[in-house]
Amino acid sequence: MKLMIVTDTAEKIKSMEIRGAGRIARAAAEALRDHALSVQAPHTAAFRQEMERAAAILVATRPTAVSLPNAVHLVMNGIGQAGTVDEARSGVTRRAEQFIQSSQHAVEKIAEFGARHIRDGDKILTHCNSEVALACIIEAHRSGKEIEVFATEVRPRNQGLITIQTLNDAGIKTNFIVDSAVRSFIHDIDLVVVGADAVTVNGAVVNKIGTSQVAHTAVEARVNVLVAAETYKFAPKTVVGDLITIEERPSSEVLPDEIAKTLPHVRVRNPAFDVTPAEFIDLIITEQGVIPPQMAYIIIREYLGWDIAEFH
Ligand code: RI2
């Protein structure tokens, strides 16, 4: 059966042509929806099997952003107890549409809540390129607060370039700094706002490599750290002790292969994410409200709808 739509999206997620935890999740939901519409199956069991194959391809693309398996899980639940292929198909497409819409709505809500924590005159530091973190900053600016942003470069993939483009387009005064300059500027900063790829049950935040250094530096300088994260970035399986896998990407992103091969004793390491402990985070802004990180468990129980039995 044709898996083109799914493999194409999977390739784009892997290569980071589609990136950012929220965007990855929406792209996966769209791919599952489109695949469901094209699958020809003689009965629901065959339809389910085909959809599960597609879901597995999508989930395997990037291991860290929990938004991806959460979105796939929500969409796949649309098959439920469907008696016919058509019922199963419409269950999937409905769930996919619902997820995409609720995700967009969540970004708007978080922008509204997050902007309330940004004061007139604030200088804000952000790291990487987070749709929701930027939505908070842009909403604060839109509501008339005079703000200034410090955006990091974000080695090795330079997502900071996307960030400064977006901030510039919004007309926000922005300073572009290299990652290692954060501590040099921290005393100019009033607030750190970042996104998340995953939030664990104990309130730790997994985000772009360097986030924990930024947060540590902020804590030392007594600067508040806000994390903007939709509820589908909370990781249900951490409730039963699973750890988040930190993706290690190709070394060529850090050092070109031609140079690396002249250095036989050097191993290039390229973890894409790191873990910021709950103690370094003041608040997590979700679409369901603003919580201290220690309340992550409540979000997982109340809003993600995973049944503990599903983990066994
Ligand atoms: P939004 C990104 O990962 C960054 O780590 C970013 O902070 C996080 O996802 C959340 O992004 P990558 O795809 O969902 O650049 O807020 O590796 O856009």
Side-chain angles (χ1 to χ4, degrees), residues 19-22 62 128 130-132 159 196-197 207-208 233 273:
R19 55 146 298 281
R62 293 194 74 193
C128 200
S130 158
E131 177 186 32
V132 258
Q159 288 96 325
D197 288 81
N207 193 47
K208 183 54 54 198
K233 290 176 182 164
F273 301 98

Side-chain angles (χ1 to χ4, degrees), residues 48-267:
R48 185 189 294 276
Q49 205 182 15
E50 179 55 27
M51 290 306 297
E52 276 169 0
R53 194 154 72 98
I57 291 172
L58 291 163
V59 169
T61 51
R62 293 194 74 193
T64 303
V66 171
S67 50
L68 176 60
N70 278 349
V72 167
H73 181 259
L74 282 166
V75 173
M76 292 295 286
N77 268 355
I79 300 177
Q81 302 304 318
T84 67
V85 171
D86 278 347
E87 278 167 26
R89 194 190 315 282
S90 63
V92 168
T93 53
R94 196 173 48 244
R95 286 293 189 105
E97 288 299 341
Q98 273 169 4
F99 176 77
I100 295 161
Q101 269 181 28
S102 67
S103 165
Q104 282 154 349
H105 183 66
V107 174
E108 286 163 25
K109 268 277 160 228
I110 291 171
E112 183 192 326
F113 296 156
R116 292 187 196 163
H117 288 269
I118 297 172
R119 295 158 305 178
D120 192 29
D122 271 356
K123 292 198 171 75
I124 303 156
L125 173 72
T126 192
H127 180 61
C128 200
N129 177 259
S130 158
E131 177 186 32
V132 258
L134 288 182
C136 297
I137 294 169
I138 291 169
E139 177 56 24
H141 170 75
R142 201 200 55 77
S143 66
K145 291 173 187 167
E146 205 155 297
I147 55 170
E148 184 174 336
V149 177
F150 284 69
T152 50
E153 185 179 26
V154 195
R155 278 274 292 150
R157 295 294 297 243
N158 303 317
Q159 288 96 325
L161 291 176
I162 314 170
T163 296
I164 58 171
Q165 186 72 57
T166 304
L167 291 168
N168 184 70
D169 291 350
I172 297 172
K173 192 170 170 194
T174 300
N175 304 274
F176 188 45
I177 60 173
V178 297
D179 301 332
S180 44
V182 168
R183 198 156 181 265
S184 298
F185 286 105
I186 199 69
H187 294 295
D188 296 336
I189 303 294
D190 300 295
L191 185 66
V192 170
V193 184
V194 291
D197 288 81
V199 182
T200 70
V201 67
N202 62 358
V205 167
V206 182
N207 193 47
K208 183 54 54 198
I209 192 79
T211 303
S212 69
Q213 277 179 195
V214 170
H216 193 192
T217 304
V219 168
E220 181 203 30
R222 303 174 77 84
V223 172
N224 283 347
V225 177
L226 301 190
V227 174
E230 305 91 306
T231 52
Y232 54 78
K233 290 176 182 164
F234 287 64
K237 289 187 183 172
T238 59
V239 171
V240 290
D242 274 22
L243 299 175
I244 303 288
T245 304
I246 302 290
E247 175 184 11
E248 185 145 358
R249 295 193 54 86
S251 60
S252 55
E253 289 185 347
V254 176
L255 193 71
D257 286 340
E258 313 81 88
I259 299 176
K261 70 177 184 234
T262 65
L263 307 168
H265 301 294
V266 176
R267 180 181 174 201

Side-chain angles (χ1 to χ4, degrees), residues 262-284:
T262 65
L263 307 168
H265 301 294
V266 176
R267 180 181 174 201
V268 177
R269 302 297 306 269
N270 185 20
F273 301 98
D274 65 18
V275 182
T276 302
E279 311 86 85
F280 291 2
I281 298 158
D282 291 282
L283 292 172
I284 303 180

